[in-house]
Amino acid sequence: STDLTSTVGYDSIIQHLNDGRKNCKEFEDFLKERAIIEEKYGKELINLSKKKPCGQTELNTLKRSLDVFKQQIDNVGQGHIQLAQTLREEAKKMEDFREKQKLHRKKIELIMEAIHKNRNLQYKKTMEVKQTCCCFLPYGALLYPSSLSHFWQLFLKLAQTKSALEDSDRSYQQSVTTLEKIREEWQKEHIKACEFFETQECERINYFRNALWLHVNQLSQDCVQNDQKYEEIRKSLEMCSIEKDIDFFVNLRKTGSLAPAPVVYENYYNTQRNATPVRSPVPVPISRRGPLPTPTSAPGEPDYATVDGYTLI
């Protein structure tokens, strides 16, 4: 800004830096919340595999398959708990990074605040001198009808109960008569039923085995799909440009290309002494800033973080 006392450009920069710090905090909180979710999910999977019966009376090969299935579910749960711990460590790194930047930036802000204060005081003093030189419901009534209604309900229920008892007695007599017939038929059908159950059990074991196989395939497919989503994030990070982001911010919040002109002395006391006023110099355009600083990384920190042993499926 051409206004000497204006801090609109500086304030915009500070606001942008504070917003960046806030965004880091939001991402840090996101990691912490995701860690809570992963840990809870992992514990729930472990409890599910240990406490929930899943074919506990099975025998032989299917039992062994179920044991492997539950053990692997437990391992998946342990993996999610480990992931939660990793996310918390990453959140702590983000917190340390934020605080380190805050401390470093605070030193510069204190210097700038002192400069702004001194500049504004001097400007105010100069302008004051210039000005001096220039010139000097109630529900109780419903109780009885309600009680009467309740009486009729009990009376109706009593009549229904009596009728039901009579029907039950007749049904009991009929049941005794037909019971013997049913017992004889049961003996004949028993062998047929056992043969049917045997066939059905074979089909059940086959279906159960195939369902377990499908379930594991679904979990594997979910991992592949998640990796594809994470790959999209990695692709977007490869497109991230520090210079483009800085240039975008500068173009968005720039306040002008001219620096404030110096404040010149104007003689109001003795006009004969200095008849020719000092001419204000032409504002000089601000030159393009130098190259962007190279972000520094901690010792041993790679430019792009990788996961040990990662392979793209």
Side-chain angles (χ1 to χ4, degrees):
S1 175
T2 57
D3 183 4
L4 180 60
T5 61
S6 174
T7 58
V8 60
Y10 177 81
D11 295 340
S12 181
I13 293 175
I14 296 300
Q15 181 62 45
H16 182 70
L17 296 176
N18 290 335
D19 290 342
R21 184 171 180 270
K22 179 183 177 182
N23 292 337
C24 290
K25 182 64 169 61
E26 290 176 352
F27 181 65
E28 173 191 332
D29 293 339
F30 180 90
L31 291 178
K32 292 179 179 178
E33 291 294 329
R34 178 65 186 270
I36 294 174
I37 295 173
E38 291 290 343
E39 184 177 41
K40 181 179 180 181
Y41 179 60
K43 289 181 178 179
E44 291 293 336
L45 283 180
I46 293 175
N47 291 335
L48 178 65
S49 65
K50 292 183 179 298
K51 298 180 180 180
K52 187 67 176 179
C54 185
Q56 59 183 354
T57 60
E58 292 295 343
L59 302 174
N60 207 19
T61 58
L62 181 57
K63 177 176 175 57
R64 288 196 294 268
S65 298
L66 289 172
D67 291 341
V68 173
F69 165 73
K70 297 187 68 176
Q71 181 60 48
Q72 294 305 320
I73 294 299
D74 184 274
N75 293 340
V76 171
Q78 295 290 350
H80 282 280
I81 293 177
Q82 181 60 40
L83 176 58
Q85 181 61 30
T86 301
L87 294 177
R88 290 191 178 95
E89 294 173 358
E90 294 300 321
K92 185 62 171 60
K93 293 179 182 179
M94 178 61 71
E95 181 182 5
D96 294 340
F97 173 77
R98 285 192 306 106
E99 293 303 318
K100 182 177 68 174
Q101 279 205 333
K102 178 183 176 181
L103 292 176
H104 291 173
R105 189 167 69 243
K106 190 63 177 178
K107 299 177 182 179
I108 306 300
E109 290 181 9
L110 291 175
I111 296 175
M112 293 300 299
E113 288 174 3
I115 293 176
H116 290 161
K117 183 178 180 180
N118 185 51
R119 180 199 63 186
N120 293 343
L121 287 175
Q122 186 61 35
Y123 183 83
K124 181 180 179 181
K125 180 180 179 181
T126 303
M127 292 299 103
E128 288 175 352
V129 173
K130 176 181 178 181
Q131 184 67 22
T132 302
C133 293
C134 183
C135 63
F136 282 139
L137 285 169
Y139 55 88
L142 299 177
L143 180 61
Y144 178 78
S146 176
S147 301
L148 182 61
S149 174
H150 182 61
F151 170 79
W152 285 110
Q153 289 177 0
L154 293 177
F155 181 82
L156 179 61
K157 185 176 182 180
L158 179 62
Q160 292 174 346
T161 302
K162 181 179 179 181
S163 177
L165 288 174
E166 294 174 352
D167 294 338
S168 299
D169 183 69
R170 288 191 295 270
S171 297
Y172 171 67
Q173 294 178 12
Q174 295 176 358
S175 297
V176 171
T177 303
T178 58
L179 177 59
E180 182 61 17
K181 296 180 180 179
I182 295 176
R183 187 188 65 83
E184 293 176 354
E185 292 179 1
W186 169 77
Q187 289 181 346
K188 296 178 181 179
E189 297 295 328
H190 182 73
I191 294 178
K192 295 181 180 180
C194 288
E195 293 174 349
F196 173 79
F197 293 152
E198 183 176 3
T199 301
Q200 193 177 58
E201 179 65 3
C202 292
E203 294 175 352
R204 187 194 67 83
I205 293 175
N206 181 68
Y207 185 86
F208 199 167
R209 183 192 64 177
N210 293 340
L212 285 175
W213 193 292
L214 177 62
H215 178 57
V216 174
N217 288 344
Q218 290 171 340
L219 296 179
S220 298
Q221 180 65 26
D222 182 69
C223 292
V224 174
Q225 293 175 351
N226 287 340
D227 185 73
Q228 293 174 351
K229 297 179 178 66
Y230 297 145
E231 180 63 18
E232 292 300 321
I233 299 176
R234 288 189 286 268
K235 290 180 180 179
S236 67
L237 290 175
E238 290 177 351
M239 301 300 294
C240 177
S241 171
I242 298 175
E243 184 170 3
K244 288 182 179 179
D245 289 352
I246 297 296
D247 288 338
F248 179 83
F249 166 71
V250 171
N251 293 327
L252 179 65
R253 300 297 178 87
K254 61 184 178 182
T255 57
S257 59
L258 298 178
V263 178
V264 298
Y265 169 75
E266 299 181 35
N267 185 3
Y268 295 97
Y269 177 72
N270 188 353
T271 57
Q272 299 299 326
R273 187 177 176 183
N274 187 11
T276 305
V278 180
R279 190 177 293 178
S280 299
V282 179
V284 180
I286 301 176
S287 61
R288 178 65 168 88
R289 68 184 188 280
L292 295 177
T294 303
T296 58
S297 301
E301 181 181 356
D303 292 337
Y304 292 91
T306 59
V307 180
D308 294 337
Y310 171 82
T311 56
L312 179 62
I313 300 178

